[in-house]
Amino acid sequence: MGAGSWGGPESQRRVKVEAAAATTAADPWTEKSENWSPLTSLHPTNKNPATMAELQEVHITEEKPLLPGQTPEAAKEAELAARILLDQGQTHSVETPYGSVTFTVYGTPKPKRPAIFTYHDVGLNYKTCFKPLFDFGDMQEIIKNFVRVHVEAPGMEEGAPVFPLGYQYPSLDQLADMIPTILQYLNFSTIIGVGVGAGAYILSRFALLNPDAVEGLVLINIDCNAKGWMDWAAHKLTGLTSSIPDMILGHLFSQEELSGHSELVQRYRDIIMHAPNVENIELFWNSYNNRRDLNFERRGDATLKCPVMLVVGDQAPYEDAVVECNSKLDPTKTSFLKMADSGGQPQLTQPGKLTEAFKYFIQGMGYMASSCMTRLSRSRTASLTSRASIDSGRSRTASQSSESGIVPSGSPGHTMEVSS
């Protein structure tokens, strides 16, 4: 190990070694016996002053040991934390049984805190879906307390090659089955999921199959139902008269937004119309339209066990679907946020309001209790607070409470409308 290795130069043990006495004119290093070692010259009887002048310095390097009291598991976790620290904002890809999946990690894992885990909608990637939200000024107070992972559906990442003709794109259920591989790779045990549209469905499916891995869900524009025969027929008919980009724009934005030709809609129209991977987007779109029913039951086993915040814009394309989903979930763990003047993508049009609502939601789970609430009135906090930290058995000890800053759970199952 060189001088720049663990412990620096001080970690090297310097041993003064006496050279062998020159009894002949021959080179002593070539005439030493087979078992001779320079360390034998350190014997107390070897005090020849002539050879003392010929001392030579030998560097003996120790291998890096574990720190005192450090287990191999702790060393592995420390190494992972260091790797993520070095890879801030770097994109990773892992192989799963259903193909490769790409994700980007920001921040470092925080002790006893879940990761914020996002999944985007059809026609978008993690940047076009979430960047305005996570770049918002007030959001920085939240994300500094959590590591976050932005997942991209296969073929949706920037620069993704077009899948070959005949490629079988994963179903939404299979996309949900990719998530455990990501968490295993990162060594994360729990998440707070934030999903939009198709991403909200995928995270919900994952939560149904892995309830212990999900501490909370923020679901924007979720449709928990499969397409019925009438929906399927209407979709087929629309496909005869509209292009894939037009259908996806109708999925993302309300008719009022599309006819208004706002700068936001025009920008996303250009992104989708000129996407180099439009064939991949069409495959993802088809998987979304072939989704299965999540079969939520308010008082049955097929329900989300974690706190849930449902979000939809007023007059958004999926307003009715989100209202119906709210009726199927446990009211003691579900909050419903309808945002006025936000259109079909509230995370893009109203990032400030959604950030404040997200902060309340996290506080209701027992995190960030000391954070100030600024944008929405404190009287509305209860409607975004859940009892799940107690009801689901995730109560924390007194020492953990002081560390995480737990707040009392508020009133369950309220609807909150936020206007400008």
Side-chain angles (χ1 to χ4, degrees):
M1 184 176 298
S5 302
W6 172 81
E10 291 76 12
S11 67
Q12 297 175 336
R13 303 294 185 262
R14 296 187 173 183
V15 181
K16 296 294 184 176
V17 180
E18 251 188 274
T23 56
T24 65
D27 186 352
W29 296 100
T30 58
E31 294 196 357
K32 60 182 178 289
S33 66
E34 181 178 343
N35 296 322
W36 181 90
S37 167
L39 292 177
T40 58
S41 59
L42 293 178
H43 192 277
T45 59
N46 293 339
K47 299 179 181 178
N48 189 331
T51 60
M52 292 295 289
E54 301 173 8
L55 289 177
Q56 298 192 16
E57 191 175 74
V58 176
H59 296 273
I60 299 178
T61 308
E62 293 182 346
E63 287 205 350
K64 176 182 176 181
L66 291 174
L67 295 176
Q70 188 181 38
T71 63
E73 292 75 17
K76 181 181 177 182
E77 291 178 1
E79 183 180 351
L80 176 64
R83 184 177 72 184
I84 294 177
L85 178 63
L86 293 173
D87 289 344
Q88 280 190 358
Q90 295 299 311
T91 299
H92 306 266
S93 294
V94 294
E95 288 296 328
T96 75
Y98 305 105
S100 177
V101 61
T102 299
F103 53 93
T104 304
V105 182
Y106 290 88
T108 56
K110 305 297 187 292
K112 302 171 185 173
R113 292 202 173 190
I116 294 175
F117 193 97
T118 73
Y119 216 119
H120 60 86
D121 201 356
V122 178
L124 307 174
N125 55 37
Y126 93 85
K127 289 182 180 178
T128 55
C129 189
F130 292 110
K131 198 174 189 301
L133 177 64
F134 284 95
D135 282 353
F136 190 75
D138 290 349
M139 179 62 81
Q140 307 314 302
E141 181 185 2
I142 298 175
I143 61 178
K144 72 181 182 182
N145 292 286
F146 297 88
V147 61
R148 69 188 195 274
V149 182
H150 298 289
V151 181
E152 297 188 277
M156 302 302 117
E157 66 274 12
E158 291 182 350
V162 175
F163 290 120
L165 189 65
Y167 175 79
Q168 183 63 46
Y169 197 83
S171 66
L172 295 197
D173 290 4
Q174 291 171 334
L175 293 176
D177 288 339
M178 290 180 173
I179 295 177
T181 304
I182 300 173
L183 299 183
Q184 183 180 13
Y185 174 85
L186 295 171
N187 198 26
F188 293 168
S189 55
T190 60
I191 65 170
I192 297 173
V194 182
V196 181
Y201 179 102
I202 292 166
L203 290 176
S204 297
R205 176 66 71 185
F206 171 73
L208 287 174
L209 299 174
N210 305 272
D212 293 336
V214 183
E215 292 197 27
L217 286 173
V218 178
L219 305 175
I220 304 171
N221 298 338
I222 185 172
D223 188 347
C224 61
N225 298 319
K227 277 190 175 293
W229 283 107
M230 292 296 292
D231 295 324
W232 181 85
H235 172 71
K236 289 295 183 184
L237 228 94
T238 305
L240 296 175
T241 58
S242 302
S243 65
I244 293 296
D246 285 335
M247 287 192 288
I248 292 175
L249 285 167
H251 161 78
L252 295 175
F253 299 102
S254 66
Q255 287 303 314
E256 291 79 2
E257 290 176 291
L258 293 174
S259 59
H261 301 291
S262 68
E263 181 182 345
L264 175 71
V265 172
Q266 189 57 47
R267 183 165 70 250
Y268 278 79
R269 185 190 304 274
D270 291 341
I271 290 173
I272 296 171
M273 294 286 290
H274 300 99
N277 60 339
V278 67
E279 294 89 349
N280 296 355
I281 295 175
E282 182 177 0
L283 293 175
F284 190 17
W285 174 242
N286 291 337
S287 287
Y288 177 69
N289 287 307
N290 289 320
R291 64 188 179 276
R292 294 192 302 147
D293 199 313
L294 287 173
N295 293 315
F296 286 147
E297 297 177 3
R298 170 163 281 193
R299 291 176 176 81
D301 293 332
T303 190
L304 298 173
K305 309 295 184 184
C306 63
V308 178
M309 181 169 72
L310 300 175
V311 182
V312 69
D314 194 17
Q315 297 183 342
Y318 288 89
E319 181 180 359
D320 292 341
V322 177
V323 170
E324 182 180 353
C325 183
N326 183 54
S327 70
K328 296 181 177 182
L329 295 177
D330 185 347
T332 66
K333 298 181 180 180
T334 306
S335 301
F336 179 36
L337 176 63
K338 183 188 288 187
M339 302 181 66
D341 304 320
S342 64
Q345 300 294 309
Q347 81 282 4
L348 302 179
T349 58
Q350 301 285 355
K353 295 175 183 177
L354 187 54
T355 295
E356 196 70 14
F358 188 37
K359 187 190 300 183
Y360 295 157
F361 180 69
I362 290 176
Q363 287 175 330
M365 295 172 58
Y367 301 109
M368 296 181 59
S370 60
S371 298
C372 62
M373 305 179 196
T374 56
R375 199 169 301 277
L376 303 179
S377 65
R378 288 177 180 271
S379 62
R380 290 173 171 173
T381 306
S383 66
L384 287 174
T385 309
S386 171
R387 287 186 180 144
S389 294
I390 296 175
D391 295 342
S392 64
R394 290 196 177 100
S395 58
R396 297 169 174 84
T397 62
S399 61
Q400 291 173 325
S401 298
S402 62
E403 183 178 337
S404 303
I406 288 183
V407 295
S409 296
S411 303
H414 289 118
T415 298
M416 181 171 78
E417 295 195 22
V418 180
S419 58
S420 299

